[in-house]
Amino acid sequence: MTAIKESSTIQENKQYALENCPVTFVMEKIGGYWKPIILWHLSNGMKRYSELKREIPAITEKMLIQHLKQLEADGLVIREAKPVVPPFVTYRLSNAGEGLLPVIEAMAAWAFKVKDGEFL
Amino acid sequence: MTAIKESSTIQENKQYALENCPVTFVMEKIGGYWKPIILWHLSNGMKRYSELKREIPAITEKMLIQHLKQLEADGLVIREAKPVVPPFVTYRLSNAGEGLLPVIEAMAAWAFKVKDGEFL
DNA sequence: ACAAGTACTTACCCTAAAGTATGTATTATG
DNA sequence: CATAATACATACTTTAGGGTAAGTACTTGT
């Protein structure tokens, strides 16, 4: 008989990981399928909502807006709305968001090395 | 009436992201709550299965072995088993796995900057 | 009058990831 | 002979993320 595990929910483990692992902290911010893609598209500067939509055709509007809100709440992007009609809303990286670019570049570098078979 | 979206499943989107976004490629490999933590614990060298288990108390054995297998299948860690009893199995980073350390360090650096309020 | 464009919102569903609880093989040791 | 230690395996359930489909508000153009 194996020792019985005391209860441990996803939330508790999330908490554990967040406090103990900086990588998990980053994952929380930029994890999921869409957030990195959105950040990538914002890395060349400010974009309108509709521009992002056009540039990432596979994303649904729900996902796009949902992640933009999340990124905004996490302080990675800045939303600016001009009170005109039709609405004119732009998104751009904050300082913290731009601070992530080296991380993204490190990831990209690794990905290309793997694909080039450099680790074989 | 909003334009009707042509069908797009999770798998298709995954494919799109994987092909278009190196960050997603990396996420595929080290995403989830446990993989980065496991990699982190392996970054100081080879560890036995039971050592990992002890060092990451919140993880369940199912998650630990499942992610170790995944990491092995993705070529990030190397498993070595001595045919003795009780079993003696060790895990260590492969070259590709070690190649990820700069990524992890970049993440950690960013996480600490955020926590120190450097982006405010 | 109504379609079109912009930036959303909301209700509902489906799947993949994570967690729970248990079982297994082997041998040494008391 | 039963227990402990190691490194798993597996059936089942829960949860969170993602996707679908549709609606809203406001105004300009035809």
Side-chain angles (χ1 to χ4, degrees):
Chain A
M1 206 192 304
T2 315
I4 290 159
K5 265 259 153 199
E6 62 286 357
S7 85
S8 117
T9 65
I10 292 182
Q11 292 312 319
E12 285 170 44
N13 281 338
K14 210 172 209 166
Q15 208 49 37
Y16 170 84
L18 269 171
E19 282 161 11
N20 289 277
C21 182
V23 180
T24 303
F25 179 77
V26 174
M27 294 290 186
E28 270 292 299
K29 307 291 185 185
I30 68 172
Y33 287 114
W34 296 115
K35 280 197 263 184
I37 296 173
I38 293 170
L39 290 171
W40 182 261
H41 281 272
L42 288 178
S43 65
N44 344 318
M46 165 183 290
K47 292 266 169 68
R48 285 187 71 172
Y49 173 83
S50 51
E51 284 181 277
L52 287 170
K53 212 178 92 180
R54 264 192 302 277
E55 289 181 15
I56 314 175
I59 201 171
T60 63
E61 295 198 57
K62 185 200 166 195
M63 285 293 105
L64 181 53
I65 196 73
Q66 181 176 301
H67 288 123
L68 283 170
K69 297 285 174 202
Q70 260 272 280
L71 291 167
E72 195 195 357
D74 286 340
L76 301 185
V77 310
I78 294 168
R79 192 189 98 114
E80 267 154 342
K82 290 183 183 161
V84 297
V85 64
F88 191 94
V89 179
T90 56
Y91 292 90
R92 62 191 168 87
L93 294 183
S94 67
N95 286 341
E98 286 187 357
L100 273 171
L101 294 181
V103 174
I104 293 185
E105 278 153 28
M107 286 185 172
W110 183 82
F112 288 126
K113 280 187 190 173
V114 168
K115 289 184 180 172
D116 289 355
E118 270 197 51
F119 293 120
L120 307 178
Chain B
M1 210 189 301
T2 315
I4 291 159
K5 266 257 155 198
E6 61 286 359
S7 85
S8 116
T9 65
I10 292 182
Q11 293 312 318
E12 285 169 46
N13 281 338
K14 210 172 211 165
Q15 209 48 37
Y16 170 85
L18 270 172
E19 282 162 11
N20 290 276
C21 182
V23 180
T24 302
F25 179 78
V26 174
M27 295 288 187
E28 270 290 300
K29 307 291 185 185
I30 68 171
Y33 288 113
W34 297 116
K35 280 197 262 184
I37 296 173
I38 294 169
L39 291 171
W40 182 261
H41 281 273
L42 289 178
S43 65
N44 344 318
M46 165 183 292
K47 291 267 168 68
R48 285 187 72 172
Y49 173 83
S50 52
E51 285 182 278
L52 287 170
K53 214 178 89 178
R54 265 192 301 277
E55 289 180 14
I56 314 174
I59 201 172
T60 64
E61 294 199 56
K62 186 201 167 195
M63 285 294 104
L64 180 53
I65 196 70
Q66 182 176 302
H67 287 123
L68 282 171
K69 296 283 174 204
Q70 259 274 282
L71 290 167
E72 194 195 358
D74 286 340
L76 301 185
V77 309
I78 294 169
R79 192 190 98 111
E80 266 152 343
K82 291 183 182 161
V84 296
V85 63
F88 192 94
V89 180
T90 56
Y91 292 91
R92 62 191 169 86
L93 295 182
S94 68
N95 286 342
E98 285 186 357
L100 272 171
L101 294 180
V103 174
I104 292 185
E105 277 152 28
M107 286 184 173
W110 183 82
F112 289 126
K113 279 187 192 172
V114 168
K115 289 184 179 172
D116 290 354
E118 269 196 50
F119 293 120
L120 307 178

